[in-house]
Amino acid sequence: MPTTTHPITDADRAAMLATRQFLASMPPISLSPEARPFYDAMIGQMPSPDGVRYESSQLGGVPGWWCTLDGAPKHTAILYLHGGAYLLGSAAAYRHTVGQFAASAGVNAFALEYRLAPEHPFPAAVDDAVAAYDALVALGFTKIAIAGDSAGGGLTLALLAIVNERAVAPVAAVAVSPWTDLSVSGASMTTRAASDPMLTTDKMLAAASLYLAGTDAKDPKASPLFSSLTGLPPVLLHVGDDEVLLDDSVRYAEQIERSGGSVQLHVWEGMLHVFTSSIATLEAARSAMTDIGGFLAKHLRAA
């Protein structure tokens, strides 16, 4: 399996020490609807790249934000699905994050405001993602990549399996620290428990319960690790080596390889969950975004 392990730099080691000290001084981050304002404020700190414009819109009746730039190819787009354990997050808060993806790839991107649990449990998020994808196709988009982080990374890979047989199939997918297994059975839930100050098994199980509302955690539309992965387009995964969801990426990549597909897995030493959100402070985040942009540009901008 094509796996690249990135050693931590001295600068990032110092930055991550400061991050860990800050997290230790804060109350634990709650995965609950009550945490939405705090979560959006935190995510909204991502700087916006130069040259990206933002406009609220909708796709297939689902609201979101277009992140556009001059010179982007027509009929080409990234559909971005944000993180937040299916309970938190908004397209408005994530629009600068999505703008970074758009700028790095040189294409327009749409940040989707899919419905959140527990008000709208599974499969509401999946239904919204499918509706948005089909709307892009109906609008004449012929080159579409799907991308997302954390729960949105899992949703990205679930959507990939659903729409891969469409007449207009995705050309590629990118997932950062994806949550691919809502049964929370990966070995890293234990082996990385001491190194991950953000997520725990209990937190993940509680969030999964609110989202699934009684659905089997191994339903492929909820946990893409258990999907049929045959015939997928190229997939790129980036994940931190210190996060409990490490094996959600490793096992998914192994499944793609066994299915004969194309997958690239990047593991970043010393990095925590969705480390790419710290693009202003981490060399690893900037390097990962450069790699992501190159991968997306290769598949979206090719003739």
Side-chain angles (χ1 to χ4, degrees), residues 5-294:
T5 300
H6 301 265
I8 190 169
T9 65
D10 289 341
D12 279 357
R13 185 175 287 107
M16 289 308 300
L17 177 60
T19 296
R20 289 177 178 278
Q21 291 172 339
F22 172 74
L23 290 172
S25 72
M26 297 287 290
I29 299 173
S30 171
L31 297 182
S32 67
E34 292 74 26
R36 288 171 185 168
F38 171 79
Y39 185 83
D40 276 6
M42 178 179 66
I43 295 300
Q45 294 177 18
M46 171 73 85
S48 176
D50 294 337
V52 178
R53 299 182 301 275
Y54 302 96
E55 181 182 2
S56 60
S57 186
Q58 65 173 26
L59 285 174
V62 185
W65 285 77
W66 273 110
C67 310
T68 60
L69 55 158
D70 292 335
K74 294 182 178 179
H75 309 303
T76 301
I78 302 164
L79 177 60
Y80 194 93
L81 307 171
H82 69 75
Y86 297 106
L87 310 174
L88 310 171
S90 68
Y94 267 86
R95 67 187 186 277
H96 292 169
T97 294
V98 183
Q100 293 283 353
F101 276 70
S104 67
V107 301
N108 297 330
F110 190 85
L112 192 68
E113 183 90 8
Y114 61 84
R115 290 170 291 170
L116 299 177
E119 299 93 330
H120 304 283
F122 177 86
V126 178
D127 291 343
D128 288 352
V130 171
Y133 184 90
D134 288 343
L136 283 174
V137 174
L139 289 170
F141 285 80
T142 55
K143 288 190 176 181
I144 304 168
I146 313 170
D149 66 278
S150 193
L155 185 56
T156 289
L157 301 175
L159 177 63
L160 185 67
I162 293 168
V163 300
N164 192 47
E165 298 301 322
R166 298 283 203 272
V168 178
V171 299
V174 174
V176 177
S177 301
W179 190 13
T180 67
D181 174 15
L182 271 64
S183 72
V184 192
S185 64
S188 56
M189 297 302 300
T190 300
T191 62
R192 296 302 190 273
S195 63
D196 190 336
M198 301 172 67
L199 300 177
T200 67
T201 299
D202 288 345
K203 278 186 180 182
M204 302 308 290
L205 286 172
S209 178
L210 287 174
Y211 174 57
L212 293 169
T215 300
D216 184 353
K218 293 186 178 181
D219 186 309
K221 292 183 179 180
S223 296
L225 180 65
F226 306 106
S227 299
S228 171
L229 304 183
T230 301
L232 296 182
V235 174
L236 175 66
L237 305 171
H238 281 264
V239 64
D241 191 50
D242 281 357
E243 58 174 296
V244 294
L245 289 182
L246 170 63
D247 280 342
D248 278 45
S249 290
V250 173
R251 290 181 296 157
Y252 184 86
E254 290 172 345
Q255 289 279 74
I256 289 185
E257 185 177 52
R258 282 194 289 267
S259 299
S262 173
V263 61
Q264 298 177 40
L265 173 64
H266 291 256
V267 179
W268 295 81
E269 292 182 353
M271 293 296 113
L272 299 177
H273 189 58
V274 194
F275 66 95
T276 51
S277 63
S278 298
I279 198 168
T281 57
L282 290 176
E283 293 176 349
R286 294 188 288 273
S287 295
M289 188 58 67
T290 297
D291 181 75
I292 289 168

